[in-house]
Amino acid sequence: MIYKHYVRMRDEHPSPFKKGTAMKKIKIFTIGFTKKTAEKFFTLLSEAGVRRIVDIRLNNSSQLAGFAKRDDLRYFLKTLCGIDYIHTPELAPTKEILDEHKKNKGEWSVYEKHFMKLMKARKIEETMTGNISHGDCLLCSENEPKECHRRLVAEYLKRKWGNVDINHLGRPGFRACQTSLALQNRCMPNWKFGTPEPMHAKLEVWHSRTDACQTGSLALQ
C-alpha cells in the first residue's frame, strides 16, 4: 500500500534527479514542534517560505501532540499559512527502534546506527526522488535537530543527492528568509469577514476557540 502511494506521488511530481537532466538545487527545511508555542511554530514556517510539511513521525495522532496532532495540524497549516501537509511513514523509525531509544533510554549512537541502516534498506534516496521537493519541511517532535531523525533523513538525502541545502528552523541564531514585508506578515482571508488578518490575530482566535472547547470538555467530565 505504501509502495503504491509513492509510485502515484512520483508520477504526479516529476523528478528533478533523472539522468540527463541538470541537478536543480533544492532547499529542505526541518522543524520540531515541542517547546514552541503555536504562534512561534506557524510563524517560523510562514516566514521561511515553507511550501509543504512532510510529517515523518511514526505516531502523529496522540492528544499529547496538541496543535501538532495530525488532523488538527493539517487544518491549521492550510488555514493559517496556506501550507500543504503529507504524512510520510517511510521516513519514520520502526516501533522497535523507537521504543529501544525512548522507553529503554538507549544511546543516541545506537539509535542513529539502526536508523541509518533502516533508511539504507528502504532506499529512500530512490523512493523519495520526486516526493521530497524544494520548500518541503521535515517535521518531527524533538525541539533540537541534533538528536532527531529528521536531521538524519535530511543529511542522508543530501549525501545521496548532493544538491540539497538543509535549514533547521528554530535553531538558535537562525534567521528566517525575509524577502518581503508580505512574507513576514503572511496572512489568509479572515474566516468571517473576508478581510486580511495577521498571524498573531488568527492565532488569538484559535486559542480562544480552543479554550472554549476545553472548558466545555471539562464540564462534560
Side-chain angles (χ1 to χ4, degrees):
M1 190 67 181
I2 291 179
Y3 175 76
K4 290 182 179 180
H5 166 74
Y6 288 111
V7 168
R8 178 176 60 80
M9 287 294 294
R10 182 190 61 200
D11 293 341
E12 292 176 356
H13 301 277
S15 169
F17 310 107
K18 290 181 178 179
K19 292 181 179 180
T21 63
M23 297 291 280
K24 294 178 60 177
K25 202 76 174 178
I26 66 171
K27 178 175 286 186
I28 295 177
F29 300 95
T30 85
I31 193 170
F33 66 85
T34 56
K35 297 185 180 181
K36 293 179 181 65
T37 63
E39 181 173 1
K40 180 177 181 180
F41 178 82
F42 292 112
T43 299
L44 280 170
L45 296 174
S46 185
E47 289 185 345
V50 169
R51 298 180 180 182
R52 181 177 64 170
I53 282 289
V54 180
D55 189 344
I56 61 173
R57 293 173 290 175
L58 181 64
N59 306 307
N60 62 359
S61 57
S62 170
Q63 294 291 347
L64 297 176
F67 65 81
K69 183 181 177 184
R70 181 190 59 208
D71 294 339
D72 292 338
L73 180 61
R74 181 188 291 112
Y75 172 78
F76 294 139
L77 284 168
K78 199 65 175 179
T79 303
L80 297 175
C81 309
I83 294 174
D84 292 327
Y85 170 94
I86 185 174
H87 182 216
T88 311
E90 189 172 358
L91 299 181
T94 62
K95 184 178 184 300
E96 292 73 22
I97 292 177
L98 187 61
D99 285 350
E100 175 61 29
H101 181 60
K102 295 290 187 179
K103 295 183 179 180
N104 300 330
K105 301 185 184 302
E107 293 289 334
W108 169 255
S109 59
V110 176
Y111 175 90
E112 182 174 0
K113 179 180 178 180
H114 289 164
F115 182 78
M116 296 309 294
K117 184 177 180 180
L118 178 66
M119 294 298 98
K120 184 177 180 180
R122 288 177 176 175
K123 298 181 179 180
I124 65 169
E125 68 273 21
E126 298 178 11
T127 60
M128 290 298 107
T129 296
N131 294 322
I132 297 293
S133 307
H134 178 75
D136 281 351
C137 181
L138 305 180
L139 169 75
C140 196
S141 59
E142 298 294 336
N143 180 43
E144 292 290 335
K146 183 178 179 180
E147 293 191 359
C148 180
H149 76 282
R150 69 181 187 272
R151 175 182 65 81
L152 300 181
V153 170
E155 291 177 354
Y156 180 92
L157 293 178
K158 181 174 183 175
R159 285 196 301 272
K160 293 295 183 178
W161 291 346
N163 64 329
V164 176
D165 282 336
I166 303 171
N167 203 328
H168 300 293
L169 300 181
R171 284 184 85 177
F174 166 76
R175 289 189 176 183
C177 303
Q178 298 182 355
T179 55
S180 68
L181 185 61
L183 183 60
Q184 294 177 42
N185 298 288
R186 190 171 180 178
C187 57
M188 298 294 288
N190 182 292
W191 296 338
K192 186 175 181 181
F193 303 106
T195 56
E197 185 177 48
M199 178 72 73
H200 68 82
K202 289 183 288 184
L203 286 166
E204 285 177 4
V205 172
W206 172 67
H207 280 303
S208 65
R209 292 178 178 178
T210 301
D211 291 342
C213 291
Q214 290 175 340
T215 301
S217 297
L218 288 172
L220 293 174
Q221 290 181 359

